[in-house]
Amino acid sequence: MLAAAAPAAGLTTATGEPLADRLTTQLRQAGATEVRFVASLDELADLVTAATAPVLVTGVDLVAHTAVLRHLATSPVGPTVALVLGDPPVPGRTAVREERGQVVDAGAPGELDGAATGVFGGALRVGVDDLPNLAAAARAAASGIIPVAAPIGPSGDVSPLPAVAGAAGSATPATAGGPGSAVDRLFAGLAALGTLIFAQRVRLLVAHRVEDAAGLAAAEAAVTAVDEDRAELRLSVKERDDFFSTYFVSTWSPYVVRLAARLRLTPTGVTVISVLFALGAAVLFGVGGRPALVGGAVLLYLGFVLDCVDGQLARYTRNFSAWGGWLDTMADRAKEYLVYAGLGFGVSHAGLGNGWALAIAAMTLQTVRHMTDTWYGVLHDEAARRPRTATGASGGIGDRLNAASTRVQADTGSVSYWLKRTVVFPIGERWALIALTVALFNPLVSLVAVLVWGVLAFAYTGALRTLRARWMWVPVLDTVDATLHRDDGPLARWLPVVRPMGPLTLAVIAALGPAALLVVALSADDPEGLRWAVPVALLVLLLGGLGAGAAHNGPLDWLVPAALRAAEYLFAIAVGVIGGAPGWLVFGYVFVLTVHHYDLTARLEKRQAAPPLHAATLGWECRSVLLALTAIAGTASVGLATLGAYLFVVFLVSVVLAWFVRPASSARASVAPAGAGGAAPR
């Protein structure tokens, strides 16, 4: 651990305790298992090289609430996170430019050409995979460093460094204070190496870097003036949420969060309860009758409140886990689609029309929308990390749209801000619309309203994102395993590659064939007479596989996964219509497909590998071939039921393997004694 350079090194708090000692205590309270003072950045580099767990690096000129350090240590946004303050850039501090929660540039204030959005707060958590970069940055920054006297006071061995609560295990305060301090140069060097660093902002709490006794006294007074627990409870609510969530949920959900914390409920437990509420709402929507519909609307609203509470509880208790994040993502979609199923059954049961067709349409539309949302988010994050000249985002309509969007987002609380947040039809607004329309009218009106608003929102976001993406020109699918996220099977990998047309053109053509077949089938008096057209639509669908091996480096190729999802879903629905399958069975099969695809996107967002049994899911093209064969044979219902059940079982087994069996095996291996086939204890 490096002590601070004078004058910050000699500062004492109002209680007479050295500032460095108080920070050490806070670091341990934040979850660090050991705290080390180091005398130079070279020594820091040696410690980091030996580390096997995330490391928290701070300067001892930091005065902050303990919660600030705990939030940094447990932040779930990414492996490497830096404290960023909203203070104006000043000489001697590292200025930061942040976009979408990422540090995209760092350096002296003059180097950022006035584009700085904050300053480095003197503390960062570095994930295991980024520790080599941290060591390299420390050695580079060590050039010209004047060592300062400081005691070496380890509280334990350097290796291993066990993580606490899935976050930082070791804390290493580094040299700080004074112009061009070591911790600033260390952070700037880490950013310069291309490390993906996320920003941890201080909101409601207090964090300051001090250089003299007057600054220390002022910072301590600011810390004392804030009730830390009350601030943490308010911080559990997202800083920027959607209109309905902000004004009709988050105004009172923190009270539920505090109650849940006192009852020692976990975020996962709250998620499970919210699923039960949504399931109850779906059942009441299916039963029908005004009392049941109103009761279902109330349950749906309360279920959405709990859906917000689980995340707020995780932030309040700092109880984060990869499993909990994955489960929350999957549960959100399952709840919504269960509600669609209840509405669809309610429409059919009441004799108001083909409710299952509407429910299938709503689920398909929403899933394809979510696929575009996910990949546009990945595209935007990748564009933010790249130099502006590299993205081609300077000038033109794309640049103007980006600038306009940034202005609107910055104008928090304005009419334009809320219109932009609402028009895209986020989940809070969807659930509110369903609850209101079903309580006041009936399930048919509710499903039609969801579809109409969903289509308009899809058209709006699709048009604007297409224009912006064309000017960004970021080949984001080239940065990941495109085969995995296309969900290709063995047949797609075996098909020849047609490069001139491009993978997006081929994927769109693949969707048009099933779409045309579905339209014809829905309008035909005898859909079963169209079995001859199934092989034709299948051949058109398989054209999407001709782009599997091509480079996905076009400006709009981020749309390929969504186009392939649409192609597969439309083909399955067409097979069900032509084969005379009941609506609930078609809905169930498409639901299983959406679960599989949401699993892939959830893993993408959590930066995880493919599911354990991904190869057993066969790929979109092989699944479609199997359905086509059953349709031609006149057994489409059997095919949908059998293949759907098979995919669901594969999904469940994959979940058990990924989240329970493999982690347990890894844990046993890590504690196995030497000579027993495991790693030797250190």
Side-chain angles (χ1 to χ4, degrees), residues 152-360:
I152 304 297
S155 60
D157 193 13
V158 173
S159 179
L161 304 178
V164 176
S170 172
T172 309
T175 300
S181 66
V183 72
D184 282 283
R185 291 198 301 273
L186 177 69
F187 170 70
L190 186 65
L193 290 173
T195 309
L196 176 56
I197 305 173
F198 291 88
Q200 176 73 36
R201 286 279 182 171
V202 177
R203 188 166 61 95
L204 302 181
L205 296 169
V206 175
H208 292 296
R209 298 176 67 182
V210 299
E211 296 183 2
D212 51 36
L216 174 59
E220 286 188 292
V223 169
T224 304
V226 175
D227 185 322
E228 191 168 358
D229 182 69
R230 181 176 295 179
E232 284 203 88
L233 187 61
R234 290 177 60 193
L235 285 170
S236 67
V237 177
K238 288 181 181 179
E239 182 177 7
R240 292 187 175 188
D241 213 337
D242 302 315
F243 182 84
F244 183 77
S245 301
T246 299
Y247 290 105
F248 295 93
V249 175
S250 297
T251 51
W252 66 279
S253 61
Y255 300 107
V256 182
V257 171
R258 177 169 281 168
L259 176 62
R262 289 176 178 172
L263 294 175
R264 297 188 177 182
L265 291 175
T266 65
T268 298
V270 175
T271 298
V272 172
I273 297 173
S274 73
V275 172
L276 295 178
F277 271 66
L279 180 60
V283 170
L284 290 176
F285 293 158
V287 169
R290 187 58 53 200
L293 295 179
V294 173
V298 172
L299 284 181
L300 187 63
Y301 169 67
L302 294 177
F304 180 68
V305 172
L306 292 176
D307 184 51
C308 296
V309 166
D310 60 5
Q312 293 171 3
L313 180 64
R315 288 185 285 274
Y316 180 60
T317 61
R318 310 311 293 175
N319 184 3
F320 300 111
S321 68
W323 158 252
W326 177 89
L327 182 64
D328 183 56
T329 299
M330 300 301 292
D332 284 349
R333 301 288 72 77
K335 287 183 292 186
E336 184 171 1
Y337 295 165
L338 283 173
V339 169
Y340 290 168
L343 292 171
F345 179 82
V347 171
S348 298
H349 180 67
L352 298 174
N354 192 338
W356 286 112
L358 294 173
I360 293 167

Side-chain angles (χ1 to χ4, degrees), residues 482-483 486-489 491-499 501-514 536-550 552 560-561 563-565 567-568 620-621 624:
T483 297
R486 284 173 51 98
D487 195 24
D488 290 329
L491 181 56
R493 292 191 289 271
W494 175 80
L495 290 172
V497 179
V498 177
R499 289 183 174 84
M501 295 185 70
L504 178 59
T505 301
L506 291 168
V508 171
I509 293 174
L512 292 177
V536 177
L538 177 65
L539 290 176
V540 177
L541 175 70
L542 292 179
L543 290 176
L546 299 178
H552 291 60
V560 167
L564 292 177
R565 299 298 85 81
E568 182 179 8
W620 61 271
E621 78 290 358
S624 299

Side-chain angles (χ1 to χ4, degrees), residues 286-632:
V287 169
R290 187 58 53 200
L293 295 179
V294 173
V298 172
L299 284 181
L300 187 63
Y301 169 67
L302 294 177
F304 180 68
V305 172
L306 292 176
D307 184 51
C308 296
V309 166
D310 60 5
Q312 293 171 3
L313 180 64
R315 288 185 285 274
Y316 180 60
T317 61
R318 310 311 293 175
N319 184 3
F320 300 111
S321 68
W323 158 252
W326 177 89
L327 182 64
D328 183 56
T329 299
M330 300 301 292
D332 284 349
R333 301 288 72 77
K335 287 183 292 186
E336 184 171 1
Y337 295 165
L338 283 173
V339 169
Y340 290 168
L343 292 171
F345 179 82
V347 171
S348 298
H349 180 67
L352 298 174
N354 192 338
W356 286 112
L358 294 173
I360 293 167
M363 178 171 59
T364 301
L365 172 66
Q366 194 55 48
T367 302
V368 175
R369 277 197 65 201
H370 277 143
M371 297 298 124
T372 62
D373 291 345
T374 296
W375 283 100
Y376 183 76
V378 176
L379 168 82
H380 210 303
D381 288 344
E382 183 66 23
R385 288 192 289 269
R386 299 187 181 199
R388 294 181 185 274
T389 54
T391 65
S394 58
I397 189 172
D399 194 38
R400 291 195 294 272
L401 286 172
N402 275 328
S405 177
T406 301
R407 286 195 302 271
V408 171
Q409 290 291 347
D411 192 13
T412 307
S414 67
V415 174
S416 58
Y417 173 85
W418 287 123
L419 282 175
K420 179 177 174 61
R421 302 282 300 194
T422 303
V423 72
V424 297
F425 204 25
I427 185 170
E429 275 64 15
R430 291 199 301 275
W431 284 43
L433 180 67
I434 291 171
L436 285 173
T437 53
V438 79
L440 296 175
F441 304 103
N442 56 53
L444 175 63
V445 174
S446 186
L447 279 175
V448 171
V450 167
L451 280 168
V452 170
W453 194 344
V455 169
L456 294 175
F458 196 16
Y460 166 77
T461 57
L464 292 184
R465 289 172 176 178
T466 297
L467 290 172
R468 294 172 70 179
R470 284 180 60 84
W471 268 264
M472 290 183 194
W473 201 289
V474 177
V476 67
L477 270 174
D478 272 2
T479 67
V480 298
D481 183 352
T483 297
L484 170 64
H485 293 292
R486 284 173 51 98
D487 195 24
D488 290 329
L491 181 56
R493 292 191 289 271
W494 175 80
L495 290 172
V497 179
V498 177
R499 289 183 174 84
M501 295 185 70
L504 178 59
T505 301
L506 291 168
V508 171
I509 293 174
L512 292 177
L517 178 62
L518 178 59
V519 170
V520 174
L522 289 174
S523 59
D525 294 330
D526 180 21
E528 292 188 16
L530 294 172
R531 279 191 290 174
W532 62 268
V534 171
V536 177
L538 177 65
L539 290 176
V540 177
L541 175 70
L542 292 179
L543 290 176
L546 299 178
H552 291 60
N553 54 9
L556 300 180
D557 283 349
W558 55 278
L559 290 167
V560 167
L564 292 177
R565 299 298 85 81
E568 182 179 8
Y569 299 165
L570 290 171
F571 186 77
I573 296 168
V575 165
V577 172
I578 292 173
W584 62 264
L585 179 58
V586 178
F587 182 95
Y589 179 77
V590 177
F591 175 78
V592 171
L593 288 182
T594 65
V595 167
H596 165 61
H597 289 133
Y598 276 118
D599 185 25
L600 289 181
T601 58
R603 289 175 175 277
L604 171 74
E605 293 170 343
K606 306 299 180 186
R607 302 173 188 83
Q608 295 173 342
L613 300 181
H614 179 67
T617 61
L618 306 176
W620 61 271
E621 78 290 358
C622 289
R623 294 191 294 264
S624 299
V625 168
L626 291 176
L627 285 185
L629 292 176
T630 62
I632 294 170

Side-chain angles (χ1 to χ4, degrees), residues 41-58:
L41 284 171
D42 282 324
E43 185 178 346
L44 173 64
D46 292 338
L47 285 173
V48 169
T49 300
T52 59
V55 172
L56 187 64
V57 182
T58 76

